[in-house]
Amino acid sequence: MTSIVVVTAGTSIPSSSRMLGEQLGEATVVSLVASGVPAEVTHLELRTLAVDLAQHLATRVPSGRLREAFDAVCAADGVIAVTPVFNGSYSGLFKLFFDALDEDAMAGRPVLLGATGGTARHSLVIDHAMLPLFFYLKAVVAPHPVFAATKDWGASGGKLDHRITRAAEEFAKLVLAAAPRAHGDDFEVTDFTDLLGG
């Protein structure tokens, strides 16, 4: 079973970052299943781990919930990472999580980047902040990140849907190349929000 973990750093309810992460995860599963590869998706909402991450920063000792989140990422065949844009960059919560991961946890792991913001002018956060971070972490970054501005949600023409589908298809290819699995046609979706206190 191919494992995809979706990490989202939105803090509002509902969260546009969570919505983008869900759609990217679903589209990735569709692409993997179309290739005959069963897949499961796990969602990690970092707002439910904010206190655990702050305590880890001070003590360097992960809580049980945080260790479960780390283990999920380290076991994943691919990671979808989505952040809201705060002051022209990824959120502090997003950075705190990836700083807290074990060294080399992301090395060689396929990653699809996503970001959400109020206007399209925030889209540069992917090139100027997220790409350097994940290149430093030695992740294998998918070629088509997705930025969703407020006006993209529900816009006519399905442009956001098209970008999500294209990004997921390319990401699925990276996942398959990095961790080929036995063929099948099933998938499962796991939501850890309740487990992690959301």
Side-chain angles (χ1 to χ4, degrees), residues 56-72:
H56 180 270
L57 180 64
T59 66
R60 309 310 297 174
V61 178
S63 66
R65 299 188 320 153
L66 192 55
R67 176 47 60 192
E68 288 178 0
F70 292 163
D71 290 346

Side-chain angles (χ1 to χ4, degrees), residues 40-96:
E40 61 180 359
V41 178
T42 299
H43 291 277
L44 297 176
E45 284 196 87
L46 298 186
R47 67 177 180 80
T48 67
L49 291 169
V51 173
D52 302 80
L53 284 165
Q55 290 175 342
H56 180 270
L57 180 64
T59 66
R60 309 310 297 174
V61 178
S63 66
R65 299 188 320 153
L66 192 55
R67 176 47 60 192
E68 288 178 0
F70 292 163
D71 290 346
V73 170
C74 291
D77 296 301
V79 173
I80 297 171
V82 184
T83 182
V85 178
F86 289 167
N87 294 325
S89 188
Y90 39 64
S91 74
L93 190 58
F94 185 86
K95 182 64 160 57
L96 194 56

Side-chain angles (χ1 to χ4, degrees), residues 6-135:
V6 181
V7 179
T8 56
T11 55
S12 60
I13 303 174
S15 162
S16 59
S17 295
R18 167 75 190 220
M19 290 190 294
L20 180 57
E22 287 177 345
Q23 293 188 23
L24 289 169
E26 290 167 4
T28 299
V29 164
V30 168
S31 293
L32 290 169
V33 170
S35 298
V37 177
E40 61 180 359
V41 178
T42 299
H43 291 277
L44 297 176
E45 284 196 87
L46 298 186
R47 67 177 180 80
T48 67
L49 291 169
V51 173
D52 302 80
L53 284 165
Q55 290 175 342
H56 180 270
L57 180 64
T59 66
R60 309 310 297 174
V61 178
S63 66
R65 299 188 320 153
L66 192 55
R67 176 47 60 192
E68 288 178 0
F70 292 163
D71 290 346
V73 170
C74 291
D77 296 301
V79 173
I80 297 171
V82 184
T83 182
V85 178
F86 289 167
N87 294 325
S89 188
Y90 39 64
S91 74
L93 190 58
F94 185 86
K95 182 64 160 57
L96 194 56
F97 179 77
F98 286 100
D99 281 348
L101 282 172
D102 293 337
E103 186 176 356
D104 294 329
M106 298 302 298
R109 199 175 306 281
V111 176
L112 173 57
L113 303 179
T116 59
T119 66
R121 65 190 176 90
H122 293 302
S123 63
L124 289 175
V125 69
I126 293 174
D127 290 337
H128 290 193
M130 297 181 79
L131 275 175
L133 171 63
F134 284 93
F135 285 154

